[in-house]
Amino acid sequence: MISWRKHYKKGLIAIGLLLSTSASIYGQDGDPKNGEKLFKANCTACHALGKQVIGPDLKGVVDRLKTEQGLDTDWLHKWIKDNKALRASGDKYANEVFEKFNKTEMLAFPNLADKDIDDILAYTTNPPVEEPKVDPAATTATGTANATPANNTTSSIVIISLIAIAGLLVWILIKLRQLVKLGQSEELTGLNETRVKSFSEIYEKYHYIGKGLLAILAILATYGIWNWIMWIGVYKGYKPEQPIYFSHKIHAGEQKIDCQLCHSSAKYGKVSEIPSMNVCMNCHRTVSEYNGKYLEPGKDKAFYDGEIQKIYAATGWDAEKQQYTGKTTPVEWTRIHNMPDFVYFNHSQHVVAGEQAIINSFNKKNPDNKIDVVCKACHGKIDTMNVVQMANDFTMGWCIECHRTTEIDMNNGYNKEYFKNLHEKLKKQYPKDGGKITVDAIGGLECGKCHY
């Protein structure tokens, strides 16, 4: 006879063991969502899921280590917290990894708790699947495609109706002309012929009016030519297409990258140079694809990824082998801002010495459009531009107006000491202004400052 009580007891034990094992497994797995945040904050500079960057591919690293090396998560905890100490202990695999990746030492993360590391490992094992985004453009296109046959039929009816109406109007006009000719008498025709006068007779009668009109036309023509000459070389709004699409809105706006990280010479010299491709590779050596939330209308992720590949082609970078091939291609950028040869302009003088004065002056004149970076005073709000354009006229009059209205920073130690006497003199001459000193008062309008 079968003892159901005995089997029942064994079943309960088996279920209990299964549940406890499952609980331990999920406890070790950690939280992939939290792991994703930690991974992006600490690991993405050197690692990615599904491909090698500076460091190895971390997708499925837990299973891979267990299968290939027989190592568990305890080894990964030691490696992540202090890989240098692990290598110093003589760990064979730790030293193999170090040698394989060109002896590039990984940062230690002693600040990460065991749970944090478990969460990161859970993310590398089971990354959260993003919900598919509905493309409004695709939905619109589908709706448009469905409505196309009906629209085509309607358009054909409208076109045929318009052609019929046009034909009817032409027929009516022809008939009316015929009626007018029939109704016109011979006397009326003769009278019309006698009314025709020569141009000389008309000019003789109205020559004063004619001369006046010619004078007005001459003045307008002169003004037009003068205005055209004055605007030669002024290209406000100019935004050429570049060989590699570079969105300042993404880099300076979304990613908050400082202007001078790329245009470093703006604060040290006369010219704010076009950054070399090596500057781009400082970031894009590891950032091989675009994963930002912002997408410019009409652009998609594949478009931005393609532009990054152009950088690799120009610099000769092999993303798979993580090394340079030596085959480079110059990038022919189209210059936007270019001062004439007869004009001297020093970026560092404005970016460093005049920084606070320019920002204060601009914000005072534009209270509803304030700036936080001195570059924006001349180049506009670059951090909102997908395609950079010339934001101002950059004429001589534009520069002079700025020099006349920009008050120098008297809190600056150099200005306070150097212009002390001038400041006191202006206070007495212009008590209402408090003796404020604008750039023109310290030589900002001297011809030799910009032309020599």
Side-chain angles (χ1 to χ4, degrees):
M1 185 176 176
I2 298 173
S3 176
W4 291 104
R5 182 176 292 180
K6 183 179 178 181
H7 288 289
Y8 177 70
K9 191 176 289 186
K10 286 182 178 178
L12 286 176
I13 292 170
I15 293 169
L17 287 170
L18 181 63
L19 290 173
S20 63
T21 305
S22 301
S24 65
I25 289 171
Y26 284 104
Q28 289 175 0
D29 279 351
D31 180 5
K33 289 187 177 179
N34 185 49
E36 182 178 13
K37 295 177 183 176
L38 292 167
F39 183 88
K40 289 181 177 179
N42 298 284
C43 311
T44 50
C46 301
H47 297 284
L49 299 186
K51 63 179 178 180
Q52 177 184 319
V53 193
I54 292 176
D57 172 18
L58 293 186
K59 187 174 183 180
V61 66
V62 176
D63 294 334
R64 191 165 65 245
L65 277 182
K66 189 173 183 180
T67 304
E68 297 175 2
Q69 304 295 331
L71 299 173
D72 56 14
T73 54
D74 289 339
W75 186 91
L76 283 166
H77 278 250
K78 292 176 184 177
W79 173 265
I80 293 169
K81 286 192 173 183
D82 192 351
N83 64 91
K84 189 174 183 179
L86 185 61
R87 286 188 282 109
S89 70
D91 186 278
K92 182 182 177 182
Y93 185 63
N95 285 288
E96 284 179 5
V97 172
F98 182 66
E99 291 292 332
K100 181 179 178 181
F101 290 93
N102 303 317
K103 295 184 179 181
T104 303
E105 187 168 319
M106 174 179 158
L107 292 174
F109 294 94
N111 57 308
L112 291 177
D114 289 339
K115 185 182 180 304
D116 293 335
I117 296 174
D118 284 337
D119 290 346
I120 293 172
L121 295 176
Y123 170 67
T124 62
T125 305
N126 296 306
V129 180
E130 293 185 5
E131 295 181 4
K133 296 179 181 178
V134 179
D135 188 354
T139 306
T140 306
T142 304
T144 306
N146 293 334
T148 300
N151 290 340
N152 287 341
T153 305
T154 306
S155 300
S156 300
I157 294 171
V158 171
I159 291 170
I160 292 170
S161 301
L162 290 173
I163 291 172
I165 292 169
L168 181 62
L169 288 172
V170 170
W171 182 81
I172 291 171
L173 288 172
I174 292 171
K175 291 298 179 183
L176 286 173
R177 186 174 180 181
Q178 289 175 353
L179 289 171
V180 169
K181 283 185 177 180
L182 289 172
Q184 194 174 39
S185 63
E186 293 181 1
E187 292 181 2
L188 185 60
T189 303
L191 182 62
N192 287 336
E193 289 177 357
T194 58
R195 286 180 178 175
V196 177
K197 295 183 179 180
S198 66
F199 176 77
S200 58
E201 291 176 345
I202 295 172
Y203 179 76
E204 186 66 28
K205 186 175 181 181
Y206 302 105
H207 68 281
Y208 290 112
I209 297 174
K211 289 177 181 178
L213 289 173
L214 288 173
I216 293 171
L217 287 172
I219 292 170
L220 291 174
T222 304
Y223 173 77
I225 293 169
W226 173 258
N227 191 55
W228 173 72
I229 292 172
M230 292 303 293
W231 285 94
I232 290 176
V234 178
Y235 304 107
K236 184 177 180 180
Y238 175 59
K239 49 177 181 180
E241 184 177 343
Q242 301 290 359
I244 297 177
Y245 190 87
F246 182 91
S247 171
H248 276 76
K249 180 174 175 59
I250 290 176
H251 291 79
E254 298 293 316
Q255 302 298 329
K256 308 296 181 186
I257 298 174
D258 187 87
C259 303
Q260 294 178 35
L261 180 68
C262 302
H263 301 281
S264 56
S265 66
K267 59 183 176 183
Y268 296 119
K270 175 186 174 184
V271 180
S272 175
E273 89 284 74
I274 298 173
S276 69
M277 298 306 292
N278 288 335
V279 175
C280 303
M281 287 300 294
N282 286 337
C283 295
H284 284 288
R285 182 177 175 180
T286 55
V287 181
S288 59
E289 58 182 337
Y290 180 65
N291 292 311
K293 295 180 180 178
Y294 171 78
L295 290 174
E296 181 186 350
K299 305 286 190 300
D300 56 12
K301 181 181 181 301
F303 172 80
Y304 294 117
D305 290 347
E307 298 305 300
I308 293 173
Q309 293 304 313
K310 289 181 182 179
I311 298 174
Y312 292 166
T315 56
W317 175 252
D318 189 327
E320 292 184 2
K321 295 181 180 178
Q322 289 290 297
Q323 62 185 23
Y324 288 101
T325 62
K327 297 178 181 178
T328 60
T329 306
V331 179
E332 298 181 5
W333 299 104
T334 302
R335 189 164 184 169
I336 300 174
H337 301 87
N338 189 16
M339 298 299 289
D341 293 339
F342 56 81
V343 177
Y344 175 81
F345 178 85
N346 191 306
H347 267 87
S348 63
Q349 187 176 5
H350 293 75
V351 172
V352 180
E355 179 180 20
Q356 201 54 52
I358 293 171
I359 291 174
N360 292 340
S361 175
F362 186 93
N363 290 341
K364 188 175 180 180
K365 290 184 282 188
N366 303 275
D368 298 328
N369 189 30
K370 293 185 176 181
I371 60 173
D372 54 348
V373 179
V374 66
C375 313
K376 296 179 182 178
C378 297
H379 298 294
K381 294 199 171 181
I382 291 286
D383 55 349
T384 64
M385 297 181 190
N386 284 303
V387 179
V388 172
Q389 63 174 319
M390 193 176 288
N392 285 296
D393 297 337
F394 293 99
T395 60
M396 181 174 174
W398 182 80
C399 295
I400 287 174
E401 177 62 22
C402 184
H403 283 190
R404 282 174 172 164
T405 56
T406 299
E407 185 177 352
I408 68 170
D409 181 16
M410 287 306 294
N411 293 321
N412 178 298
Y414 174 82
N415 292 339
K416 194 172 184 178
E417 182 63 30
Y418 192 77
F419 299 117
K420 183 178 179 181
N421 294 334
L422 176 62
H423 196 207
E424 294 300 324
K425 179 182 177 181
L426 290 173
K427 278 183 180 179
K428 294 176 182 178
Q429 287 183 341
Y430 307 101
K432 291 183 179 180
D433 293 338
K436 73 175 182 180
I437 304 177
T438 49
V439 178
D440 61 329
I442 58 172
L445 298 186
E446 293 177 9
C447 304
K449 293 286 186 181
C450 304
H451 307 287
Y452 60 84

